[in-house]
mmCIF file of all heavy atoms in Angstrom:
data_model
loop_
_atom_site.group_PDB
_atom_site.id
_atom_site.type_symbol
_atom_site.label_atom_id
_atom_site.label_comp_id
_atom_site.label_asym_id
_atom_site.label_seq_id
_atom_site.Cartn_x
_atom_site.Cartn_y
_atom_site.Cartn_z
ATOM 1 N N CYS P 181 -0.438 -6.145 -1.374
ATOM 2 C CA CYS P 181 0.388 -6.158 -0.155
ATOM 3 C C CYS P 181 -0.340 -6.872 0.980
ATOM 4 O O CYS P 181 0.237 -7.704 1.686
ATOM 5 C CB CYS P 181 0.738 -4.737 0.284
ATOM 6 S SG CYS P 181 1.959 -3.906 -0.731
ATOM 7 N N VAL P 182 -1.613 -6.530 1.153
ATOM 8 C CA VAL P 182 -2.395 -7.112 2.247
ATOM 9 C C VAL P 182 -2.618 -8.600 2.030
ATOM 10 O O VAL P 182 -2.363 -9.422 2.918
ATOM 11 C CB VAL P 182 -3.756 -6.386 2.380
ATOM 12 C CG1 VAL P 182 -4.669 -7.121 3.351
ATOM 13 C CG2 VAL P 182 -3.542 -4.953 2.847
ATOM 14 N N ASN P 183 -3.071 -8.985 0.835
ATOM 15 C CA ASN P 183 -3.456 -10.374 0.599
ATOM 16 C C ASN P 183 -2.282 -11.329 0.464
ATOM 17 O O ASN P 183 -2.412 -12.513 0.753
ATOM 18 C CB ASN P 183 -4.345 -10.459 -0.649
ATOM 19 C CG ASN P 183 -5.729 -9.918 -0.397
ATOM 20 O OD1 ASN P 183 -6.468 -10.434 0.431
ATOM 21 N ND2 ASN P 183 -6.090 -8.844 -1.088
ATOM 22 N N SER P 184 -1.144 -10.823 0.028
ATOM 23 C CA SER P 184 0.040 -11.682 -0.086
ATOM 24 C C SER P 184 0.929 -11.601 1.142
ATOM 25 O O SER P 184 1.863 -12.386 1.285
ATOM 26 C CB SER P 184 0.855 -11.297 -1.328
ATOM 27 O OG SER P 184 1.412 -9.998 -1.173
ATOM 28 N N GLN P 185 0.656 -10.614 2.005
ATOM 29 C CA GLN P 185 1.469 -10.381 3.204
ATOM 30 C C GLN P 185 2.939 -10.177 2.845
ATOM 31 O O GLN P 185 3.845 -10.715 3.480
ATOM 32 C CB GLN P 185 1.304 -11.533 4.193
ATOM 33 C CG GLN P 185 -0.064 -11.576 4.869
ATOM 34 C CD GLN P 185 -0.286 -10.381 5.792
ATOM 35 O OE1 GLN P 185 0.206 -10.347 6.910
ATOM 36 N NE2 GLN P 185 -1.020 -9.390 5.305
ATOM 37 N N GLN P 186 3.158 -9.376 1.808
ATOM 38 C CA GLN P 186 4.500 -9.030 1.372
ATOM 39 C C GLN P 186 4.704 -7.521 1.489
ATOM 40 O O GLN P 186 3.742 -6.756 1.383
ATOM 41 C CB GLN P 186 4.729 -9.465 -0.086
ATOM 42 C CG GLN P 186 4.763 -10.970 -0.293
ATOM 43 C CD GLN P 186 4.966 -11.326 -1.760
ATOM 44 O OE1 GLN P 186 4.151 -10.987 -2.606
ATOM 45 N NE2 GLN P 186 6.049 -12.008 -2.051
ATOM 46 N N PRO P 187 5.952 -7.070 1.698
ATOM 47 C CA PRO P 187 6.208 -5.628 1.831
ATOM 48 C C PRO P 187 6.007 -4.889 0.513
ATOM 49 O O PRO P 187 6.086 -5.477 -0.573
ATOM 50 C CB PRO P 187 7.670 -5.567 2.280
ATOM 51 C CG PRO P 187 8.272 -6.860 1.843
ATOM 52 C CD PRO P 187 7.176 -7.871 1.911
ATOM 53 N N ILE P 188 5.764 -3.593 0.631
ATOM 54 C CA ILE P 188 5.517 -2.759 -0.551
ATOM 55 C C ILE P 188 6.653 -2.867 -1.559
ATOM 56 O O ILE P 188 6.431 -3.002 -2.769
ATOM 57 C CB ILE P 188 5.321 -1.282 -0.133
ATOM 58 C CG1 ILE P 188 3.973 -1.089 0.549
ATOM 59 C CG2 ILE P 188 5.423 -0.355 -1.346
ATOM 60 C CD1 ILE P 188 3.713 0.324 1.020
ATOM 61 N N GLU P 189 7.892 -2.805 -1.061
ATOM 62 C CA GLU P 189 9.053 -2.811 -1.967
ATOM 63 C C GLU P 189 9.045 -4.050 -2.866
ATOM 64 O O GLU P 189 9.299 -3.965 -4.070
ATOM 65 C CB GLU P 189 10.354 -2.766 -1.164
ATOM 66 C CG GLU P 189 10.601 -1.461 -0.423
ATOM 67 C CD GLU P 189 9.880 -1.377 0.918
ATOM 68 O OE1 GLU P 189 9.166 -2.344 1.283
ATOM 69 O OE2 GLU P 189 10.031 -0.349 1.603
ATOM 70 N N GLU P 190 8.723 -5.192 -2.272
ATOM 71 C CA GLU P 190 8.729 -6.440 -3.039
ATOM 72 C C GLU P 190 7.578 -6.479 -4.041
ATOM 73 O O GLU P 190 7.753 -6.904 -5.188
ATOM 74 C CB GLU P 190 8.628 -7.619 -2.071
ATOM 75 C CG GLU P 190 8.972 -8.951 -2.705
ATOM 76 C CD GLU P 190 9.122 -10.047 -1.668
ATOM 77 O OE1 GLU P 190 9.553 -9.745 -0.529
ATOM 78 O OE2 GLU P 190 8.811 -11.197 -2.009
ATOM 79 N N ILE P 191 6.401 -6.019 -3.608
ATOM 80 C CA ILE P 191 5.226 -6.021 -4.490
ATOM 81 C C ILE P 191 5.448 -5.097 -5.684
ATOM 82 O O ILE P 191 5.165 -5.460 -6.836
ATOM 83 C CB ILE P 191 3.972 -5.576 -3.708
ATOM 84 C CG1 ILE P 191 3.581 -6.643 -2.680
ATOM 85 C CG2 ILE P 191 2.810 -5.289 -4.642
ATOM 86 C CD1 ILE P 191 3.205 -7.975 -3.277
ATOM 87 N N VAL P 192 5.980 -3.907 -5.413
ATOM 88 C CA VAL P 192 6.211 -2.942 -6.495
ATOM 89 C C VAL P 192 7.247 -3.489 -7.476
ATOM 90 O O VAL P 192 7.076 -3.393 -8.698
ATOM 91 C CB VAL P 192 6.665 -1.587 -5.909
ATOM 92 C CG1 VAL P 192 7.186 -0.680 -7.011
ATOM 93 C CG2 VAL P 192 5.504 -0.902 -5.188
ATOM 94 N N LYS P 193 8.296 -4.075 -6.950
ATOM 95 C CA LYS P 193 9.363 -4.597 -7.812
ATOM 96 C C LYS P 193 8.842 -5.714 -8.717
ATOM 97 O O LYS P 193 9.155 -5.761 -9.919
ATOM 98 C CB LYS P 193 10.514 -5.117 -6.946
ATOM 99 C CG LYS P 193 11.676 -5.680 -7.747
ATOM 100 C CD LYS P 193 12.788 -6.176 -6.825
ATOM 101 C CE LYS P 193 13.925 -6.789 -7.623
ATOM 102 N NZ LYS P 193 14.992 -7.325 -6.730
ATOM 103 N N GLN P 194 8.015 -6.618 -8.175
ATOM 104 C CA GLN P 194 7.558 -7.776 -8.932
ATOM 105 C C GLN P 194 6.415 -7.454 -9.892
ATOM 106 O O GLN P 194 6.376 -7.961 -11.016
ATOM 107 C CB GLN P 194 7.087 -8.882 -7.972
ATOM 108 C CG GLN P 194 8.205 -9.575 -7.228
ATOM 109 C CD GLN P 194 7.665 -10.695 -6.339
ATOM 110 O OE1 GLN P 194 6.491 -11.031 -6.383
ATOM 111 N NE2 GLN P 194 8.529 -11.258 -5.520
ATOM 112 N N HIS P 195 5.476 -6.624 -9.432
ATOM 113 C CA HIS P 195 4.224 -6.470 -10.179
ATOM 114 C C HIS P 195 3.944 -5.062 -10.694
ATOM 115 O O HIS P 195 3.118 -4.892 -11.590
ATOM 116 C CB HIS P 195 3.048 -6.927 -9.309
ATOM 117 C CG HIS P 195 3.210 -8.307 -8.754
ATOM 118 N ND1 HIS P 195 3.078 -9.435 -9.535
ATOM 119 C CD2 HIS P 195 3.512 -8.738 -7.496
ATOM 120 C CE1 HIS P 195 3.282 -10.503 -8.780
ATOM 121 N NE2 HIS P 195 3.535 -10.113 -7.542
ATOM 122 N N PHE P 196 4.599 -4.045 -10.105
ATOM 123 C CA PHE P 196 4.350 -2.662 -10.521
ATOM 124 C C PHE P 196 5.682 -1.917 -10.692
ATOM 125 O O PHE P 196 5.916 -0.896 -10.041
ATOM 126 C CB PHE P 196 3.480 -1.941 -9.481
ATOM 127 C CG PHE P 196 2.165 -2.611 -9.203
ATOM 128 C CD1 PHE P 196 2.056 -3.572 -8.207
ATOM 129 C CD2 PHE P 196 1.039 -2.288 -9.945
ATOM 130 C CE1 PHE P 196 0.843 -4.195 -7.943
ATOM 131 C CE2 PHE P 196 -0.182 -2.912 -9.688
ATOM 132 C CZ PHE P 196 -0.275 -3.870 -8.691
ATOM 133 N N PRO P 197 6.562 -2.425 -11.558
ATOM 134 C CA PRO P 197 7.892 -1.808 -11.672
ATOM 135 C C PRO P 197 7.852 -0.340 -12.091
ATOM 136 O O PRO P 197 8.768 0.419 -11.772
ATOM 137 C CB PRO P 197 8.590 -2.675 -12.733
ATOM 138 C CG PRO P 197 7.487 -3.379 -13.462
ATOM 139 C CD PRO P 197 6.403 -3.577 -12.458
ATOM 140 N N HIS P 198 6.774 0.077 -12.763
ATOM 141 C CA HIS P 198 6.662 1.480 -13.176
ATOM 142 C C HIS P 198 6.401 2.399 -11.983
ATOM 143 O O HIS P 198 6.450 3.624 -12.125
ATOM 144 C CB HIS P 198 5.545 1.637 -14.208
ATOM 145 C CG HIS P 198 4.200 1.183 -13.748
ATOM 146 N ND1 HIS P 198 3.888 -0.150 -13.578
ATOM 147 C CD2 HIS P 198 3.080 1.876 -13.410
ATOM 148 C CE1 HIS P 198 2.639 -0.254 -13.155
ATOM 149 N NE2 HIS P 198 2.122 0.960 -13.044
ATOM 150 N N CYS P 199 6.138 1.810 -10.811
ATOM 151 C CA CYS P 199 5.899 2.607 -9.589
ATOM 152 C C CYS P 199 7.075 2.506 -8.619
ATOM 153 O O CYS P 199 6.935 2.830 -7.431
ATOM 154 C CB CYS P 199 4.626 2.128 -8.889
ATOM 155 S SG CYS P 199 3.149 2.189 -9.913
ATOM 156 N N SER P 200 8.220 2.064 -9.115
ATOM 157 C CA SER P 200 9.354 1.765 -8.234
ATOM 158 C C SER P 200 9.951 2.996 -7.557
ATOM 159 O O SER P 200 10.725 2.862 -6.609
ATOM 160 C CB SER P 200 10.450 1.034 -9.025
ATOM 161 O OG SER P 200 10.865 1.826 -10.130
ATOM 162 N N ASP P 201 9.596 4.196 -8.009
ATOM 163 C CA ASP P 201 10.142 5.421 -7.397
ATOM 164 C C ASP P 201 9.351 5.880 -6.169
ATOM 165 O O ASP P 201 9.735 6.861 -5.527
ATOM 166 C CB ASP P 201 10.153 6.572 -8.420
ATOM 167 C CG ASP P 201 11.129 6.323 -9.554
ATOM 168 O OD1 ASP P 201 12.070 5.534 -9.360
ATOM 169 O OD2 ASP P 201 10.936 6.916 -10.634
ATOM 170 N N TRP P 202 8.258 5.179 -5.831
ATOM 171 C CA TRP P 202 7.339 5.736 -4.843
ATOM 172 C C TRP P 202 7.068 4.874 -3.610
ATOM 173 O O TRP P 202 6.029 5.070 -2.963
ATOM 174 C CB TRP P 202 5.991 6.029 -5.515
ATOM 175 C CG TRP P 202 6.071 6.886 -6.727
ATOM 176 C CD1 TRP P 202 5.960 6.487 -8.028
ATOM 177 C CD2 TRP P 202 6.273 8.301 -6.773
ATOM 178 N NE1 TRP P 202 6.074 7.557 -8.878
ATOM 179 C CE2 TRP P 202 6.267 8.691 -8.131
ATOM 180 C CE3 TRP P 202 6.453 9.283 -5.785
ATOM 181 C CZ2 TRP P 202 6.432 9.998 -8.537
ATOM 182 C CZ3 TRP P 202 6.623 10.587 -6.185
ATOM 183 C CH2 TRP P 202 6.613 10.942 -7.535
ATOM 184 N N PRO P 203 7.912 3.955 -3.198
ATOM 185 C CA PRO P 203 7.551 3.099 -2.049
ATOM 186 C C PRO P 203 7.307 3.865 -0.756
ATOM 187 O O PRO P 203 6.370 3.548 -0.014
ATOM 188 C CB PRO P 203 8.746 2.138 -1.928
ATOM 189 C CG PRO P 203 9.863 2.809 -2.651
ATOM 190 C CD PRO P 203 9.230 3.589 -3.744
ATOM 191 N N GLU P 204 8.117 4.879 -0.464
ATOM 192 C CA GLU P 204 7.945 5.626 0.783
ATOM 193 C C GLU P 204 6.652 6.438 0.776
ATOM 194 O O GLU P 204 5.928 6.515 1.767
ATOM 195 C CB GLU P 204 9.149 6.556 1.018
ATOM 196 C CG GLU P 204 10.445 5.813 1.311
ATOM 197 C CD GLU P 204 10.309 4.842 2.474
ATOM 198 O OE1 GLU P 204 9.701 5.224 3.503
ATOM 199 O OE2 GLU P 204 10.782 3.697 2.344
ATOM 200 N N GLN P 205 6.353 7.053 -0.377
ATOM 201 C CA GLN P 205 5.117 7.824 -0.495
ATOM 202 C C GLN P 205 3.892 6.902 -0.402
ATOM 203 O O GLN P 205 2.869 7.274 0.181
ATOM 204 C CB GLN P 205 5.095 8.600 -1.810
ATOM 205 C CG GLN P 205 6.088 9.750 -1.882
ATOM 206 C CD GLN P 205 7.490 9.282 -2.287
ATOM 207 O OE1 GLN P 205 7.767 8.086 -2.384
ATOM 208 N NE2 GLN P 205 8.370 10.241 -2.543
ATOM 209 N N LEU P 206 3.995 5.707 -0.982
ATOM 210 C CA LEU P 206 2.893 4.749 -0.903
ATOM 211 C C LEU P 206 2.660 4.306 0.540
ATOM 212 O O LEU P 206 1.509 4.134 0.970
ATOM 213 C CB LEU P 206 3.179 3.537 -1.801
ATOM 214 C CG LEU P 206 3.048 3.786 -3.309
ATOM 215 C CD1 LEU P 206 3.625 2.620 -4.100
ATOM 216 C CD2 LEU P 206 1.585 4.009 -3.697
ATOM 217 N N LYS P 207 3.745 4.141 1.295
ATOM 218 C CA LYS P 207 3.600 3.802 2.717
ATOM 219 C C LYS P 207 2.851 4.908 3.452
ATOM 220 O O LYS P 207 1.972 4.639 4.280
ATOM 221 C CB LYS P 207 4.981 3.586 3.354
ATOM 222 C CG LYS P 207 5.641 2.281 2.998
ATOM 223 C CD LYS P 207 7.000 2.169 3.695
ATOM 224 C CE LYS P 207 7.730 0.907 3.260
ATOM 225 N NZ LYS P 207 9.087 0.814 3.861
ATOM 226 N N GLN P 208 3.207 6.159 3.157
ATOM 227 C CA GLN P 208 2.503 7.296 3.764
ATOM 228 C C GLN P 208 1.019 7.268 3.412
ATOM 229 O O GLN P 208 0.158 7.471 4.270
ATOM 230 C CB GLN P 208 3.095 8.617 3.253
ATOM 231 C CG GLN P 208 4.323 9.106 3.978
ATOM 232 C CD GLN P 208 4.748 10.466 3.414
ATOM 233 O OE1 GLN P 208 5.634 10.562 2.571
ATOM 234 N NE2 GLN P 208 4.107 11.519 3.885
ATOM 235 N N LEU P 209 0.753 7.031 2.139
ATOM 236 C CA LEU P 209 -0.632 7.013 1.660
ATOM 237 C C LEU P 209 -1.423 5.902 2.344
ATOM 238 O O LEU P 209 -2.547 6.120 2.814
ATOM 239 C CB LEU P 209 -0.645 6.826 0.142
ATOM 240 C CG LEU P 209 -2.019 6.699 -0.523
ATOM 241 C CD1 LEU P 209 -2.841 7.958 -0.307
ATOM 242 C CD2 LEU P 209 -1.861 6.410 -2.021
ATOM 243 N N PHE P 210 -0.848 4.710 2.415
ATOM 244 C CA PHE P 210 -1.557 3.578 3.000
ATOM 245 C C PHE P 210 -1.751 3.757 4.505
ATOM 246 O O PHE P 210 -2.753 3.302 5.069
ATOM 247 C CB PHE P 210 -0.826 2.270 2.693
ATOM 248 C CG PHE P 210 -0.752 1.944 1.223
ATOM 249 C CD1 PHE P 210 0.212 1.072 0.727
ATOM 250 C CD2 PHE P 210 -1.640 2.512 0.318
ATOM 251 C CE1 PHE P 210 0.289 0.774 -0.621
ATOM 252 C CE2 PHE P 210 -1.576 2.225 -1.041
ATOM 253 C CZ PHE P 210 -0.608 1.349 -1.506
ATOM 254 N N SER P 211 -0.799 4.411 5.158
ATOM 255 C CA SER P 211 -0.939 4.705 6.583
ATOM 256 C C SER P 211 -2.114 5.664 6.807
ATOM 257 O O SER P 211 -2.955 5.456 7.701
ATOM 258 C CB SER P 211 0.348 5.320 7.132
ATOM 259 O OG SER P 211 0.194 5.710 8.476
ATOM 260 N N ALA P 212 -2.189 6.705 5.982
ATOM 261 C CA ALA P 212 -3.298 7.663 6.086
ATOM 262 C C ALA P 212 -4.629 6.985 5.759
ATOM 263 O O ALA P 212 -5.662 7.268 6.379
ATOM 264 C CB ALA P 212 -3.056 8.838 5.134
ATOM 265 N N TYR P 213 -4.600 6.083 4.806
ATOM 266 C CA TYR P 213 -5.799 5.333 4.398
ATOM 267 C C TYR P 213 -6.314 4.483 5.564
ATOM 268 O O TYR P 213 -7.518 4.485 5.873
ATOM 269 C CB TYR P 213 -5.437 4.463 3.195
ATOM 270 C CG TYR P 213 -6.522 3.562 2.669
ATOM 271 C CD1 TYR P 213 -7.775 4.051 2.320
ATOM 272 C CD2 TYR P 213 -6.277 2.201 2.471
ATOM 273 C CE1 TYR P 213 -8.757 3.218 1.803
ATOM 274 C CE2 TYR P 213 -7.245 1.358 1.957
ATOM 275 C CZ TYR P 213 -8.484 1.864 1.631
ATOM 276 O OH TYR P 213 -9.452 1.032 1.116
ATOM 277 N N ALA P 214 -5.400 3.788 6.235
ATOM 278 C CA ALA P 214 -5.788 2.951 7.377
ATOM 279 C C ALA P 214 -6.381 3.802 8.500
ATOM 280 O O ALA P 214 -7.396 3.431 9.111
ATOM 281 C CB ALA P 214 -4.588 2.155 7.873
ATOM 282 N N LYS P 215 -5.765 4.951 8.771
ATOM 283 C CA LYS P 215 -6.262 5.825 9.842
ATOM 284 C C LYS P 215 -7.631 6.396 9.499
ATOM 285 O O LYS P 215 -8.519 6.479 10.356
ATOM 286 C CB LYS P 215 -5.266 6.961 10.079
ATOM 287 C CG LYS P 215 -3.967 6.515 10.736
ATOM 288 C CD LYS P 215 -2.967 7.661 10.812
ATOM 289 C CE LYS P 215 -1.623 7.179 11.383
ATOM 290 N NZ LYS P 215 -0.582 8.238 11.325
ATOM 291 N N THR P 216 -7.818 6.798 8.248
ATOM 292 C CA THR P 216 -9.097 7.367 7.830
ATOM 293 C C THR P 216 -10.214 6.335 7.931
ATOM 294 O O THR P 216 -11.326 6.647 8.384
ATOM 295 C CB THR P 216 -9.000 7.898 6.386
ATOM 296 O OG1 THR P 216 -7.939 8.859 6.310
ATOM 297 C CG2 THR P 216 -10.300 8.551 5.955
ATOM 298 N N LYS P 217 -9.928 5.100 7.530
ATOM 299 C CA LYS P 217 -10.942 4.039 7.656
ATOM 300 C C LYS P 217 -11.321 3.832 9.114
ATOM 301 O O LYS P 217 -12.507 3.663 9.444
ATOM 302 C CB LYS P 217 -10.419 2.737 7.047
ATOM 303 C CG LYS P 217 -10.395 2.714 5.533
ATOM 304 C CD LYS P 217 -9.965 1.369 4.990
ATOM 305 C CE LYS P 217 -8.507 1.061 5.313
ATOM 306 N NZ LYS P 217 -8.069 -0.232 4.762
ATOM 307 N N ALA P 218 -10.321 3.835 9.992
ATOM 308 C CA ALA P 218 -10.594 3.649 11.420
ATOM 309 C C ALA P 218 -11.465 4.783 11.961
ATOM 310 O O ALA P 218 -12.408 4.554 12.723
ATOM 311 C CB ALA P 218 -9.281 3.563 12.196
ATOM 312 N N GLU P 219 -11.158 6.016 11.529
ATOM 313 C CA GLU P 219 -11.936 7.176 11.993
ATOM 314 C C GLU P 219 -13.379 7.116 11.505
ATOM 315 O O GLU P 219 -14.292 7.568 12.193
ATOM 316 C CB GLU P 219 -11.279 8.472 11.498
ATOM 317 C CG GLU P 219 -9.942 8.785 12.171
ATOM 318 C CD GLU P 219 -9.184 9.887 11.444
ATOM 319 O OE1 GLU P 219 -9.701 10.367 10.406
ATOM 320 O OE2 GLU P 219 -8.085 10.250 11.900
ATOM 321 N N GLN P 220 -13.573 6.546 10.315
ATOM 322 C CA GLN P 220 -14.912 6.495 9.723
ATOM 323 C C GLN P 220 -15.625 5.168 9.989
ATOM 324 O O GLN P 220 -16.663 4.874 9.384
ATOM 325 C CB GLN P 220 -14.828 6.749 8.213
ATOM 326 C CG GLN P 220 -14.303 8.131 7.858
ATOM 327 C CD GLN P 220 -14.368 8.420 6.364
ATOM 328 O OE1 GLN P 220 -14.995 7.689 5.596
ATOM 329 N NE2 GLN P 220 -13.732 9.499 5.938
ATOM 330 N N LEU P 221 -15.067 4.374 10.910
ATOM 331 C CA LEU P 221 -15.656 3.075 11.272
ATOM 332 C C LEU P 221 -15.902 2.221 10.027
ATOM 333 O O LEU P 221 -16.989 1.663 9.834
ATOM 334 C CB LEU P 221 -16.975 3.265 12.031
ATOM 335 C CG LEU P 221 -16.939 4.135 13.293
ATOM 336 C CD1 LEU P 221 -18.311 4.188 13.937
ATOM 337 C CD2 LEU P 221 -15.899 3.626 14.264
ATOM 338 N N SER P 222 -14.898 2.138 9.178
ATOM 339 C CA SER P 222 -15.037 1.416 7.909
ATOM 340 C C SER P 222 -13.927 0.389 7.745
ATOM 341 O O SER P 222 -12.790 0.605 8.178
ATOM 342 C CB SER P 222 -14.991 2.391 6.724
ATOM 343 O OG SER P 222 -16.028 3.344 6.811
ATOM 344 N N LEU P 223 -14.267 -0.713 7.113
ATOM 345 C CA LEU P 223 -13.291 -1.710 6.678
ATOM 346 C C LEU P 223 -13.467 -1.898 5.182
ATOM 347 O O LEU P 223 -14.595 -1.884 4.678
ATOM 348 C CB LEU P 223 -13.508 -3.058 7.374
ATOM 349 C CG LEU P 223 -13.382 -3.123 8.901
ATOM 350 C CD1 LEU P 223 -13.569 -4.555 9.371
ATOM 351 C CD2 LEU P 223 -12.053 -2.584 9.371
ATOM 352 N N ASP P 224 -12.359 -2.065 4.468
ATOM 353 C CA ASP P 224 -12.503 -2.354 3.046
ATOM 354 C C ASP P 224 -12.519 -3.865 2.832
ATOM 355 O O ASP P 224 -12.431 -4.659 3.770
ATOM 356 C CB ASP P 224 -11.427 -1.647 2.219
ATOM 357 C CG ASP P 224 -10.022 -2.175 2.471
ATOM 358 O OD1 ASP P 224 -9.870 -3.289 3.016
ATOM 359 O OD2 ASP P 224 -9.056 -1.467 2.130
ATOM 360 N N TYR P 225 -12.634 -4.251 1.584
ATOM 361 C CA TYR P 225 -12.752 -5.657 1.196
ATOM 362 C C TYR P 225 -11.592 -6.487 1.754
ATOM 363 O O TYR P 225 -11.786 -7.576 2.289
ATOM 364 C CB TYR P 225 -12.776 -5.707 -0.328
ATOM 365 C CG TYR P 225 -13.282 -6.989 -0.933
ATOM 366 C CD1 TYR P 225 -14.623 -7.341 -0.837
ATOM 367 C CD2 TYR P 225 -12.430 -7.824 -1.643
ATOM 368 C CE1 TYR P 225 -15.095 -8.503 -1.415
ATOM 369 C CE2 TYR P 225 -12.897 -8.989 -2.226
ATOM 370 C CZ TYR P 225 -14.234 -9.325 -2.108
ATOM 371 O OH TYR P 225 -14.698 -10.481 -2.683
#
């Protein structure tokens, strides 16, 4: 999602169809992930 600058729905549909039931939950997870990194003064790759 980050490297292609495409929305979760499109990425899941094209490359991870077995995860197609979870776009909203993945958004929640990624939002929490971004906040946790900010709190811990961390950036990922």
Side-chain angles (χ1 to χ4, degrees):
C181 287
V182 171
N183 287 298
S184 67
Q185 289 293 281
Q186 292 179 299
I188 287 179
E189 292 83 0
E190 195 169 328
I191 291 298
V192 168
K193 180 180 178 182
Q194 288 182 7
H195 306 286
F196 303 90
H198 58 288
C199 303
S200 58
D201 293 337
W202 306 104
E204 292 306 316
Q205 290 83 352
L206 287 168
K207 285 180 185 177
Q208 276 183 262
L209 176 62
F210 297 159
S211 175
Y213 177 54
K215 289 174 184 174
T216 303
K217 286 184 293 181
E219 290 167 358
Q220 297 186 12
L221 305 181
S222 300
L223 299 183
D224 67 18
Y225 197 70

